[in-house]
Amino acid sequence: MDFIENTLDKKEELCNLLTNYSYEIHQKDDGEYRYLNDGDICITVINTDDDNKKIYLDLQEEFTLSFGSFHSHYESFQYSYDELVTDLKGILENRIGAASIYHHYEGKQNWLGSLMISIEEVETKTVKQVFHHVFHTKDFRNDLEQYGGEVRYEFWDSRYDKRIMINKKIRG
């Protein structure tokens, strides 16, 4: 296994992958990037067609990719970094996106989980198939049945985005 001594060593390589995209490099500050440690960076990829969509690539002790409500951690090994690059390309090419599920409660949406999903899975799988881990958790399933909720599929190209409402079950 090839250990990556310092995630910052991959900064130039990642920036080269993003040459056709708009991105910014951020360090620790008092605002949005206050979570970074001194010396860490976040490469923020900005969707020029939708200012609300960004991909965050944190280069810290490990790599972290965040998109929509989904985030994933990648260890400081070459195989894990290669997985990060594959996922990043998949998002930018609209082959994969973020899928998130929420339940409604007192006018708010409470997050129950997120995962990466292929565009094909959005078209072929039911909500219960996609979020089987949520529906197998009794408390989450009860919250969805009692309060209702929604699923959001978010892709880099907003044309592929989808929102599905989950109706609460009427008990009586």
Side-chain angles (χ1 to χ4, degrees), residues 7-35:
T7 58
L8 294 175
D9 293 342
K10 295 295 186 178
K11 174 185 164 189
E12 186 176 337
E13 190 175 319
L14 287 168
C15 290
N16 286 338
L17 285 171
L18 299 169
T19 55
N20 295 326
Y21 300 91
S22 177
Y23 68 89
E24 302 169 345
I25 297 175
H26 294 272
Q27 296 178 324
K28 182 180 178 90
D29 64 19
D30 292 332
E32 182 177 2
Y33 300 94
R34 66 184 168 278
Y35 66 91

Side-chain angles (χ1 to χ4, degrees), residues 1 4 52 58 81 88 93 105 115 118 125 130-131 164:
M1 268 188 276
I4 298 170
N52 294 320
D58 295 337
Y81 171 77
L88 174 62
E93 296 167 2
Y105 183 70
L115 51 89
S118 72
K125 289 188 173 184
V130 171
F131 291 102
I164 299 171

Side-chain angles (χ1 to χ4, degrees), residues 71-82:
H71 78 274
S72 184
H73 300 274
Y74 303 82
E75 297 174 303
S76 297
F77 292 98
Q78 188 61 44
Y79 74 89
S80 194
Y81 171 77
D82 292 342

Side-chain angles (χ1 to χ4, degrees), residues 39-52:
D40 295 339
I41 65 166
C42 176
I43 302 171
T44 303
V45 187
I46 302 155
N47 187 323
T48 55
D49 295 324
D50 184 343
D51 292 340
N52 294 320

